[in-house]
RNA sequence: GUGGCCGUAGCUCAGUCGGUAGAGUCCAGGAUUGUGAUUCCUGUUGUCGCGGGUUCGAUCCCCGUCGGCCACCCCA
């Protein structure tokens, strides 16, 4: 036997047993987005490496050590997208969607980061990204948050997630604060752990959410972000909070919430859960007013967020809130035994499909004993088995057997079957 | 990238203080030659992750490697 080739580490197959759950989640999300008037956009999963370096930030972990970057046959440096926002901005700019317009967009698909896999974290993982462009006021920030809150409600996740909220201020305010924080920490460099020292160089704001107790103690007297906020950001944050309060969305102000990517400013938020171990962020985003300009476009305000599909699915499974009907993918299973059964089964299914296209019918193929066909009917999850034996075929009848309830099976004519099904299945 | 635990049948796992393996489940057939989910019987399934070392002999001990899980880091 030849040696088996296995999937790349951290890149998982989605097996058929799982896909109904994915379809359920994706379906719910798409329906909600349509209800808010958001349009789908699709981008390639490969981009020029420079796009991510310029947007995410040269010295972030993502760019420094997590990107799948390689040279193509022309010698160009290409990268599998580690996130969607940069591609989306690029595509919008290229497609002329940002010229004096507002856009509300969404996309979904795989992202790639070369990290060590663990629960809720994979090298190929799926996000649903939502981005809005051209709206500077915090009402749109609120809309995005309200939208996610509604989604959790619909999916039954509301009790398991909490909203963390913060504002980073304008890009200027953020930069000023950053300098102040760095100055403060530099004076106390000897008391910082290795991780924090590294962050001091790469992404100083991240020192704020260090898990090290000594570092946290040190931060007690550190400059506060809110003291550096510009008046505009402060007002907008207040407005956002008022809207959330009025809509009854609970949140926790977390001054230490700074987000990892360089392009964020003003509003940042994260939906987190304590049900998934270390990877508890299930949805996160914020405002990135400077990014479009940074990528060569006209200054354009923008806010967006991304949801981690695998994490949401893990959460749905952990909480056992997946509606049972989601897993039921077949309504009828057609069994046939004896002479002419194969033909009769296919023809009966065919007729049902023509007249009642909403029915999900699996026709037994491949022969086998009646017993094994019944087993397969049961395993398929179908509600009814339609049985075709020699006597039924001869008489133009079919036996309908209830696989789930206690109803007695009955043999009726195939002509009556349609009426019977509409009476009993809708 | 760092650390801990773990790789035995398709799946869940037992086991051998070193003498090349077993249970449940699943699948197929039968008891019931046309009735599943409960019962009973019969049967199939393995380079014991891969490579090397020690040994007369390694699934077991040692080293390496690949993979999985969890945590750190980072992030959705």
């Amino acid at each position: 036997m030849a040696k088996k080739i296995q999937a790349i580490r951290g890149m998982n197959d989605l097996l058929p047993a799982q896909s109904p759950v994915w379809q359920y989640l994706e379906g719910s999300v798409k329906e909600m987005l349509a209800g808010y008037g958001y349009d789908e956009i699709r981008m390639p999963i490969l981009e020029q490496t420079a796009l991510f370096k310029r947007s995410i930030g040269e010295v972030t972990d993502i760019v420094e050590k997590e990107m799948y970057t390689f040279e193509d046959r022309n010698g160009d440096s290409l990268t599998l997208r580690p996130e969607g926002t940069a591609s989306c901005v690029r595509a919008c700019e290229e497609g002329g969607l940002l010229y004096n317009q507002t856009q509300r967009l969404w996309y979904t698909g795989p992202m790639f980061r070369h990290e060590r896999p663990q629960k809720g974290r994979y090298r190929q993982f799926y996000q649903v990204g939502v981005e809005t462009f051209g709206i500077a006021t915090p009402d749109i920030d609120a809309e995005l948050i309200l939208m996610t809150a509604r989604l959790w409600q619909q999916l039954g996740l509301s009790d398991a997630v909490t909203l963390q909220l913060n504002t980073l201020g304008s890009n200027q305010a953020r930069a000023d604060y950053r300098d102040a924080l760095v100055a403060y920490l530099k004076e106390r460099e000897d008391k910082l752990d290795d991780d924090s020292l590294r962050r001091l160089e790469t992404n100083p704001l991240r020192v704020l959410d260090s898990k090290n107790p000594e570092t946290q103690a040190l931060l007690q007297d550190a400059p506060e972000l809110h003291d550096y906020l510009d008046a505009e950001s402060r007002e907008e944050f207040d407005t956002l909070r008022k809207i959330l309060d009025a809509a009854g969305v609970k949140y926790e102000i977390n001054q230490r919430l700074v987000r990892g990517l360089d392009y964020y400013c003003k509003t940042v938020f994260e939906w987190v859960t304590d049900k998934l171990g270390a990877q508890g962020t299930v949805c996160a985003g914020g405002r990135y007013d400077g990014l479009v300009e940074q990528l060569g476009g006209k200054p354009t305000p923008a806010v967006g967020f991304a949801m981690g599909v695998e994490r949401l699915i893990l959460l749905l499974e952990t909480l056992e809130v997946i509606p049972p009907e989601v897993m039921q993918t077949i309504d009828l299973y057609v069994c046939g035994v004896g002479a002419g059964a194969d033909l009769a089964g296919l023809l009966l299914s065919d007729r049902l499909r023509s007249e009642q296209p909403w029915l999900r019918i699996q026709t037994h193929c491949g022969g086998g004993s009646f017993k094994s066909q019944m087993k397969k009917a049961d395993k398929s999850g179908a509600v009814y088995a339609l049985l075709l034996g020699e006597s039924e075929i001869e008489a133009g009848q079919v036996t309908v057997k209830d696989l789930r309830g206690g109803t007695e099976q009955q043999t009726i004519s195939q002509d009556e079957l349609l009426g019977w099904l509409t009476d009993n299945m809708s």
Side-chain angles (χ1 to χ4, degrees):
Chain A
M1 255 215 292
K3 201 168 186 178
K4 279 183 187 163
I5 295 174
Q6 41 187 13
I8 309 297
R9 180 171 206 192
M11 306 205 178
N12 305 117
D13 300 306
L14 176 63
L15 299 176
Q18 277 273 77
S19 57
V21 183
W22 281 64
Q23 287 179 5
Y24 164 63
L25 177 62
E26 289 168 350
S28 305
V29 173
K30 285 180 190 177
E31 206 175 299
M32 185 199 60
L33 285 159
Y36 278 78
Y38 282 63
D39 299 316
E40 184 180 6
I41 181 170
R42 301 192 191 193
M43 301 86 69
I45 58 175
L46 271 176
E47 297 277 358
Q48 287 185 32
T49 303
L51 176 67
F52 303 116
K53 287 195 173 171
R54 247 205 266 173
S55 57
I56 298 169
E58 289 269 5
V59 294
T60 55
D61 275 28
I62 291 179
V63 169
E64 277 189 330
K65 46 191 196 197
E66 293 177 1
M67 294 203 307
Y68 281 92
T69 296
F70 61 94
E71 274 192 11
D72 78 351
R73 291 168 188 273
N74 301 325
D76 298 327
S77 179
L78 306 184
T79 295
L80 281 165
R81 63 182 183 195
E83 57 112 34
T85 303
S87 304
C88 184
V89 170
R90 197 228 79 233
C92 286
E93 193 54 44
E94 208 167 321
L97 304 187
L98 302 183
Y99 194 78
N100 292 335
Q101 295 171 69
T102 63
Q103 297 290 349
R104 287 173 159 99
L105 303 171
W106 69 272
Y107 52 83
T108 185
M111 309 293 163
F112 302 84
R113 289 181 203 170
H114 192 107
E115 302 177 275
R116 190 97 165 237
Q118 82 185 67
K119 184 173 187 177
R121 190 176 77 180
Y122 311 100
R123 290 184 172 181
Q124 174 174 335
F125 62 101
Y126 290 77
Q127 287 188 339
V128 176
V130 179
E131 319 282 1
T132 71
F133 298 99
I135 305 169
T137 45
D139 46 358
I140 189 67
D141 305 44
E143 174 173 289
L144 290 173
I145 293 173
L146 259 43
M147 177 196 275
T148 51
R150 178 177 296 277
L151 182 65
W152 312 146
Q153 188 68 44
Q154 241 166 52
L155 294 171
L157 302 178
S158 293
D159 293 342
V161 293
T162 58
L163 175 61
Q164 305 266 305
L165 193 62
N166 195 21
T167 178
L168 300 176
S170 64
N171 284 318
Q172 186 58 48
R174 186 187 174 188
D176 290 346
Y177 174 65
R178 180 185 159 125
D179 292 344
L181 183 66
V182 170
Y184 174 85
L185 291 173
K186 286 260 184 185
E187 278 171 29
R188 294 156 181 82
E189 243 175 343
D190 51 317
K191 289 180 186 150
L192 286 173
D193 58 280
D194 290 348
D195 276 338
S196 296
L197 279 173
R198 189 174 43 76
R199 289 180 182 130
L200 194 53
E201 298 304 320
T202 58
N203 196 343
L205 296 188
R206 299 281 314 177
V207 177
L208 293 175
D209 51 18
S210 166
K211 287 176 187 167
N212 186 322
E214 287 172 37
T215 305
Q216 278 303 329
L218 200 64
L219 288 168
Q220 290 289 314
D221 303 318
E224 294 276 340
L225 174 59
H226 282 195
D227 295 333
Y228 286 76
L229 287 182
D230 51 298
E232 190 185 67
S233 296
R234 206 186 295 268
E235 266 171 44
E236 287 171 0
F237 194 54
D238 285 344
T239 306
L240 172 60
R241 292 180 55 176
K242 276 183 193 131
I243 299 174
L244 294 180
D245 290 338
V249 173
K250 294 202 178 92
Y251 55 86
E252 210 172 285
I253 302 290
N254 179 357
Q255 287 208 44
R256 301 280 158 88
L257 178 68
V258 294
R259 313 283 307 129
L261 282 57
D262 273 5
Y263 52 63
Y264 285 113
C265 64
K266 293 189 174 171
T267 307
V268 290
F269 67 94
E270 247 180 59
W271 286 98
V272 296
T273 178
D274 57 3
K275 302 282 191 293
L276 296 182
Q279 308 301 323
T281 302
V282 122
C283 170
R287 191 163 267 283
Y288 49 96
D289 289 344
L291 182 60
V292 175
E293 189 177 11
Q294 203 176 317
L295 291 176
K298 289 204 310 181
T300 305
V303 217
F305 66 82
M307 299 185 273
V309 176
E310 286 87 349
R311 291 181 186 178
L312 285 170
I313 295 217
L314 278 169
L315 195 53
L316 288 170
E317 288 169 342
T318 305
L319 298 173
E320 298 178 0
V321 291
I322 300 161
E325 62 269 22
V326 165
M327 305 313 273
Q328 195 223 318
T329 56
I330 292 178
D331 300 311
L332 303 174
Y333 194 96
V334 180
C335 303
V337 155
D342 297 349
L343 178 62
L346 287 169
L347 288 182
L348 177 61
S349 301
D350 204 47
R351 185 174 162 194
L352 291 174
R353 285 187 230 280
S354 298
E355 299 182 32
Q356 294 290 345
W358 57 274
L359 281 172
R360 299 169 300 178
I361 308 165
Q362 192 158 97
T363 313
H364 181 84
C365 291
S369 67
F370 207 84
K371 181 195 178 92
S372 71
Q373 293 195 27
M374 285 305 299
K375 273 192 171 181
K376 279 174 181 146
D378 184 38
K379 260 190 79 171
S380 76
V383 185
Y384 294 105
L386 300 185
L387 312 181
L388 291 164
E390 282 172 10
S391 56
E392 284 93 341
I393 295 168
E394 215 169 292
Q397 292 181 314
V398 59
T399 295
V400 183
K401 184 181 170 74
D402 184 353
L403 294 169
R404 308 298 151 198
T407 322
E408 278 290 301
Q409 73 178 38
Q410 50 184 308
T411 303
I412 55 178
S413 81
Q414 293 188 15
D415 295 332
E416 286 176 280
L417 179 61
L418 270 172
W420 190 92
L421 287 173
T422 31
D423 288 349
N424 288 276
M425 293 209 59
S426 37

